Amino acid sequence: MQSLQCSITDAIIDPAAVLAGTSSDNDGAVVLFLGVVRDHNDDRAVSHLEYEAYTAMAEAELRKVGQEARDRFDVGTVRIVHRIGRLEIGEVSVAISVASPHRAAAYESSRYIIEELKKRVPIWKREGYLEGERVWLAGGTK
C-alpha cells in the first residue's frame, strides 16, 4: 500500500511509529531520516530549540514536497512528521521515512524532502543558548 502521510505535532516523535507500515512487499529499501537537536551551532553552545509553524499551511506544503518526491523518484510510501514547541538536546525534530523498491531512490527522495522542507515549509526555529540568549534562525539552516 503506497501512501503519503504528513503532519505537524507537538508530541514526541516515535521513530518506530513513523516506520510502522511504511514498507510493502514490493519494497526493497526503507530509509528513515531523523533530525535531532544538537548541543551546538556555529561555535555556540545550544541549550534547546523552539519550533513554531503555521500548521495548516505547513502540512499542505509538506504534502506537496512529499508528493513531488514520490513522483520524481518513483518511491512508494512517504511519511513526514515535524515537531513544534520546545525541544531539548537529543530530541527528534523531524522524521522522514521513505519506502522504495530500490535503495538509491529511497535515499535520494529522503534527501530531497529534507532540503525542500527547510526551504519551503513555514516552520520557524529559535535557538536557545546556554548563556540565556534566544535567536530566530533564517530558513534553510543547517
Side-chain angles (χ1 to χ4, degrees), residues 1 6 8 15 19 28 36 38 40 45 63 66 85 87 92 102 105 109 112 116 135:
M1 172 102 179
C6 304
I8 303 294
L19 276 176
V36 180
R38 64 177 179 248
H40 68 282
R63 281 189 293 277
L87 283 74
V92 176
H102 304 286
S109 62
Y112 176 83
E116 291 300 309
V135 175

Side-chain angles (χ1 to χ4, degrees), residues 21-93:
T22 298
S23 66
S24 70
D25 291 344
N26 186 51
D27 296 314
V30 177
V31 169
L32 174 65
F33 169 81
L34 300 176
V36 180
V37 179
R38 64 177 179 248
D39 67 357
H40 68 282
N41 187 33
D42 292 332
D43 296 323
R44 293 187 75 180
V46 173
S47 62
H48 68 280
L49 293 180
E50 299 167 40
Y51 287 95
E52 291 185 11
Y54 179 1
T55 302
M57 185 182 283
E59 287 179 342
E61 195 63 26
L62 283 176
R63 281 189 293 277
K64 287 180 190 174
V65 168
Q67 189 59 53
E68 288 168 11
R70 289 185 69 210
D71 294 344
R72 184 175 187 166
F73 300 100
D74 195 27
V75 297
T77 296
V78 171
R79 292 186 175 171
I80 309 167
V81 181
H82 202 295
R83 190 164 164 204
I84 55 174
R86 182 183 168 119
L87 283 74
E88 303 302 326
I89 304 303
E91 290 190 296
V92 176
S93 60

